[in-house]
Amino acid sequence: MKHSTVAELLSQVKKQNEIEIKGWVRTFRANRFIALNDGSTINNIQCVIDFENTDESILKRITTGAAIHIKGILVESLGKGQTVEIQVVSINILGDSNPDEYPIQPKKHTFEFLRENAHLRTRTNTFSAVMRLRSTLSFAIHKYFNENGFYYMHTPIITGSDAEGAGEMFRVSLLDAKNPPLNDNGKVDYTQDFFGKETNLTVSGQLEAETYAMSLGKVYTFSPTFRAENSNTSRHLSEFWMIEPEVAFMDLEGNMDLAEDFLKYVLKYALKNNKEDLAFLEQRLIQEDKTKPQAERNEMTLTEKLRFVIDNNFKRVSYTEAIDILRNCKPNKKKKFKYIIKEWGADLQSEHERFLVEKHFECPVILFDYPANIKAFYMRLNEDGKTVRAMDILFPAIGEIVGGAQREERLDVLKEKMAALDISEEELWWYLDLRKYGTAVHSGFGLGFERLVMFATGMSNIRDVIPYPRTPQNAEF
Ligand code: 4AD
Ligand code: MG
């Protein structure tokens, strides 16, 4: 007989003979009550043992973390907190867990401690809830694009071009690091390397996605991306997953409409499908808030925050308008910001983005038409000659969650821009070809997947929403 999952059994109401279940012991009380979890739901199922008829040697081995196989009868529960429970008929220990050594004891652990035990941390309610939500959101993303006529494209992880400019790159090389071959100029001779040229891990699949959008129309990537910046913040990873749709014949406004519709869809999907995980995470935040000073507490519960994004129109504001607001706002005048906004052209920091979203507009914000010189070379230049058709979406608690643009489709303008930034035409010949053969208006954006998971789960450190975070000085597991 195939064994059931905890989720399946908890959804039953009728008595059922001869059920089987396998899972890990969360707690074992009074030599009688096992709380068993198998990952299928945040809830445990209670298994009641007839301890007088169970071997002492078996009872001793029912410890937190042990894997067990139970055969029994599903009955209505008289205890509080569950509708059904299992009367154990037989119990088989599949894998012991030494209680003196097992790190995940049934008590509160700090997130720092759990990060050091990332291989076991999904055995806690918080991390299992976060990772189930991560899985649901991934699925919702594919579902959205599939329902809307997009093709899923796999962009390369190893790239031969470093012109994207989105960030520092990790080199991929088989040359002897201690004694690399040199060319006549005394520089490392990458023609002798594996690919015959310098290669790196990609920072974004966008440029390749653009090539496919210009033939398949609507495409998206959902891939790992890598950035070698030494930024140790709660919102940056060295390896993160990015979703990048790219659409032919779509301008910046269409891009904003798409991003807004897409974000609302995936959050709505999570709300509908992971109710119990979200309820648990919401309670966790409420408890956490009680330990904080009033000013740092969340004004909204987790569900309210999600509903707030789903139910409200995102406010669309030009960069120029935003700079005016920021220049004249209280924290800027009173020098409360770390970076004071002095003039048009300033790059926005997360503190400014969060002020706009959380204090000024009090809703998600789409900022557009940024100064050309703080944005990437491929963004379409506006008529004013100084701003580009860029857009960033800003979320409460997160700041920038999406970055995108309408792309420069005019060959001459693109070439001028590349020349000014010293980007080699030779290297990006294929990207320029798109502008030579059937060029057209097109746009896209990149959503940082972990920032979305942070928002949906209320977790405040990006290291806690990806199974094995890669950050400077850290690549354990
Ligand atoms: O704004 P970014 O750098 O945009 C691009 O890479 C474009 N090529 C996207 C496109 O138009 N197709 O990155 C996009 C998003 C950011 O808004 C942020 O959410 C996330 O990726 N992101 C990071 N997430 C975690 N760790 C990092 N180091 C991140 N850098 C960017
Ligand atoms: Mg960006």
Side-chain angles (χ1 to χ4, degrees):
M1 190 175 85
K2 187 183 153 289
H3 67 271
S4 311
T5 65
V6 173
E8 283 162 0
L9 292 185
L10 288 179
S11 67
Q12 308 285 319
V13 280
K14 278 202 232 116
K15 181 172 170 181
Q16 223 175 306
N17 292 322
E18 290 186 23
I19 59 97
E20 284 190 45
I21 189 125
K22 295 176 182 179
W24 295 270
V25 175
R26 280 293 176 84
T27 57
F28 184 37
R29 259 187 322 114
N31 253 352
R32 233 183 133 188
F33 303 105
I34 303 172
L36 194 72
N37 192 281
D38 65 355
S40 60
T41 155
I42 191 145
N43 300 308
N44 303 326
I45 193 158
Q46 173 157 288
C47 309
V48 187
I49 293 190
D50 174 6
F51 70 93
E52 279 168 2
N53 292 314
T54 308
D55 250 15
E56 177 76 18
S57 64
I58 291 283
L59 288 175
K60 266 207 221 134
R61 292 169 66 195
I62 307 174
T63 57
T64 298
I68 61 176
H69 177 189
I70 280 175
K71 293 183 182 170
I73 306 163
L74 189 74
V75 296
E76 200 182 315
S77 174
L78 301 175
K80 268 209 323 214
Q82 70 256 332
T83 51
V84 290
E85 64 186 25
I86 299 172
Q87 275 173 6
V88 177
V89 173
S90 78
I91 179 164
N92 179 17
I93 310 284
L94 301 173
D96 290 286
S97 172
N98 183 339
D100 298 328
E101 290 173 8
Y102 185 54
I104 314 295
Q105 295 296 322
K107 63 165 195 172
K108 207 170 156 51
H109 294 288
T110 65
F111 285 161
E112 288 78 14
F113 173 81
L114 291 171
R115 252 170 247 149
E116 286 163 14
N117 289 283
H119 60 308
L120 299 172
R121 66 178 173 172
T122 32
R123 296 184 183 199
T124 66
N125 284 335
T126 301
F127 284 92
S128 66
V130 168
M131 293 309 161
R132 272 188 297 270
L133 269 154
R134 186 179 164 108
S135 170
T136 298
L137 286 165
S138 306
F139 181 74
I141 287 163
H142 287 299
K143 191 164 152 59
Y144 176 86
F145 287 124
N146 185 261
E147 284 171 3
N148 285 281
F150 283 71
Y151 298 108
Y152 178 25
M153 175 198 178
H154 298 110
T155 44
I157 302 289
I158 298 174
T159 171
S161 67
D162 70 351
E164 153 87 12
E168 292 297 311
M169 304 182 107
F170 290 101
R171 183 161 303 139
V172 176
S173 175
L174 288 185
L175 293 180
D176 181 358
K178 285 198 199 102
N179 189 21
L182 301 178
N183 59 25
D184 294 343
N185 303 326
K187 296 220 168 103
V188 176
D189 182 9
Y190 287 106
T191 61
Q192 295 187 44
D193 206 345
F194 188 87
F195 294 107
K197 64 188 291 197
E198 193 180 335
T199 48
N200 293 285
L201 295 181
T202 189
V203 292
S204 155
Q206 179 199 321
L207 303 192
E208 289 87 354
E210 278 187 56
T211 65
Y212 268 43
M214 297 312 282
S215 53
L216 297 177
K218 296 201 258 182
V219 299
Y220 74 103
T221 72
F222 188 167
S223 304
T225 49
F226 307 86
R227 305 214 177 161
E229 272 103 36
N230 195 5
S231 44
N232 255 308
T233 80
S234 57
R235 303 174 314 120
H236 287 90
L237 290 165
S238 313
E239 174 182 294
F240 65 99
W241 287 70
M242 185 152 53
I243 298 98
E244 296 181 276
E246 193 68 34
V247 182
F249 314 116
M250 183 176 78
D251 62 9
L252 190 69
E253 208 178 304
N255 207 18
M256 293 185 202
D257 293 342
L258 173 67
E260 185 169 340
D261 189 54
F262 162 67
L263 285 167
K264 287 176 172 171
Y265 176 95
V266 297
L267 291 174
K268 214 185 281 178
Y269 190 87
L271 258 185
K272 185 165 161 228
N273 291 283
N274 286 55
K275 285 200 182 83
E276 288 173 334
D277 291 322
L278 283 167
F280 174 84
L281 292 168
E282 176 158 305
Q283 279 310 313
R284 188 194 80 74
L285 284 169
I286 290 169
Q287 295 310 319
E288 189 183 78
D289 262 4
K290 287 183 184 159
T291 67
K292 288 183 184 168
Q294 192 72 36
E296 284 169 34
R297 293 186 189 171
N298 291 293
E299 280 165 26
M300 283 188 251
T301 66
L302 184 58
T303 337
E304 281 168 354
K305 235 173 50 179
L306 298 185
R307 280 250 70 97
F308 187 74
V309 167
I310 294 165
D311 297 336
N312 280 299
N313 290 331
F314 295 8
K315 178 84 185 163
R316 301 179 185 192
V317 190
S318 75
Y319 167 90
T320 303
E321 221 178 307
I323 282 290
D324 277 342
I325 293 166
L326 287 168
R327 227 179 354 202
N328 296 313
C329 74
K330 255 197 200 156
N332 200 57
K333 286 187 163 161
K334 292 194 166 168
K335 302 208 159 42
K336 287 268 156 63
F337 285 148
K338 194 162 158 226
Y339 297 91
I340 302 301
I341 299 285
K342 295 201 187 91
E343 55 196 24
W344 193 93
D347 206 354
L348 301 186
Q349 306 296 326
S350 147
E351 55 180 346
H352 309 124
E353 296 170 343
R354 291 188 57 183
F355 173 83
L356 291 170
V357 173
E358 292 162 27
K359 299 281 186 276
H360 190 83
F361 291 109
E362 296 185 313
C363 69
V365 172
I366 310 183
L367 285 190
F368 62 92
D369 286 354
Y370 280 75
N373 57 3
I374 58 170
K375 288 288 182 189
F377 77 96
Y378 51 72
M379 299 186 176
R380 193 181 198 280
L381 193 64
N382 279 315
E383 306 311 314
D384 63 12
K386 57 178 196 171
T387 60
V388 286
R389 304 242 78 193
M391 65 164 204
D392 275 6
I393 302 187
L394 316 178
F395 262 30
I398 307 286
E400 180 192 336
I401 193 162
V402 162
Q406 183 174 323
R407 319 305 187 189
E408 185 55 77
E409 85 285 11
R410 298 163 296 186
L411 184 63
D412 51 337
V413 184
L414 187 60
K415 277 185 169 178
E416 256 174 56
K417 194 78 165 290
M418 286 169 62
L421 292 169
D422 216 11
I423 297 170
S424 139
E425 281 187 28
E426 246 164 71
E427 200 182 312
L428 284 183
W429 63 274
W430 51 274
Y431 190 70
L432 290 167
D433 265 5
L434 297 179
R435 279 75 184 165
K436 281 191 210 157
Y437 309 122
T439 193
V441 163
H442 63 289
S443 304
F445 62 82
L447 165 69
F449 185 52
E450 283 72 23
R451 296 208 182 156
L452 176 73
V453 183
M454 281 175 84
F455 181 73
T457 57
M459 298 298 278
S460 55
N461 193 320
I462 200 162
R463 293 167 176 85
D464 296 332
V465 298
I466 185 165
Y468 298 107
R470 268 75 181 102
T471 50
Q473 300 298 314
N474 170 37
E476 191 66 47
F477 304 101

